[in-house]
Amino acid sequence: MLDGRISAGSRYGAYGRPDIAPLDGDPREREVGRFAQGLLATVGESLPSAVTIDVGLIQDPDTGHERWAAVEANMPWFSHSHTARADTVLDVVLRAAGPRGQVSPCDAPFLPRVGSLGAHIGIRFIDTYFYI
């Protein structure tokens, strides 16, 4: 995501197995887009301007009801682009990894402290994952 919009996307797994395909034209493309836009509307201000967010379907084990969930957020330069459009992925990566002197004030809180390795928090679910 770049500046609060979906910039690029790709499916990368389904039911715990690799299943790489473009987001463009995927039968769930609209669902993924709606969920991602809702996620951004809810928590977008707490995210850096360039970020990779993995989303996926999770299933309630008791009811079988499926719903979309954010799986994890990553640094774009750490993420794999899979089949996402390379030009738009590059825009996101360059923003996230650009020179420290060009970091916007809204992204300054996300800069790592000297000596920090950063944090990586993730939860894996069992259904379909999309990189957006």
Side-chain angles (χ1 to χ4, degrees):
M1 300 207 173
L2 183 64
D3 294 328
R5 295 184 347 268
I6 297 173
S7 183
S10 175
R11 186 176 69 222
Y12 69 88
Y15 301 101
R17 293 182 295 279
D19 187 20
I20 299 169
L23 178 59
D24 296 337
D26 188 277
R28 295 190 182 259
E29 177 182 10
R30 285 189 175 183
E31 290 176 59
V32 171
R34 278 194 301 270
F35 174 76
Q37 290 303 329
L39 181 68
L40 284 171
T42 304
V43 299
E45 290 186 20
S46 67
L47 297 170
S49 66
V51 64
T52 298
I53 300 176
D54 295 356
V55 302
L57 282 173
I58 59 172
Q59 186 178 57
D60 183 301
D62 296 323
T63 66
H65 177 74
E66 292 182 331
R67 66 182 173 88
W68 289 99
V71 176
E72 64 184 351
N74 288 303
M75 300 75 61
W77 46 265
F78 180 76
S79 301
H80 194 294
S81 62
H82 299 290
T83 61
R85 290 185 34 219
D87 58 335
T88 55
V89 169
L90 183 59
D91 290 340
V92 179
V93 170
L94 289 174
R95 170 76 64 81
R100 186 178 278 269
Q102 294 180 11
V103 171
S104 71
C106 68
D107 285 337
F110 300 101
L111 290 173
R113 291 182 301 274
V114 175
S116 170
L117 295 176
H120 179 79
I121 299 171
I123 301 170
R124 289 283 176 221
F125 297 99
I126 59 169
D127 202 352
T128 305
Y129 300 96
F130 291 88
Y131 160 94
I132 53 175

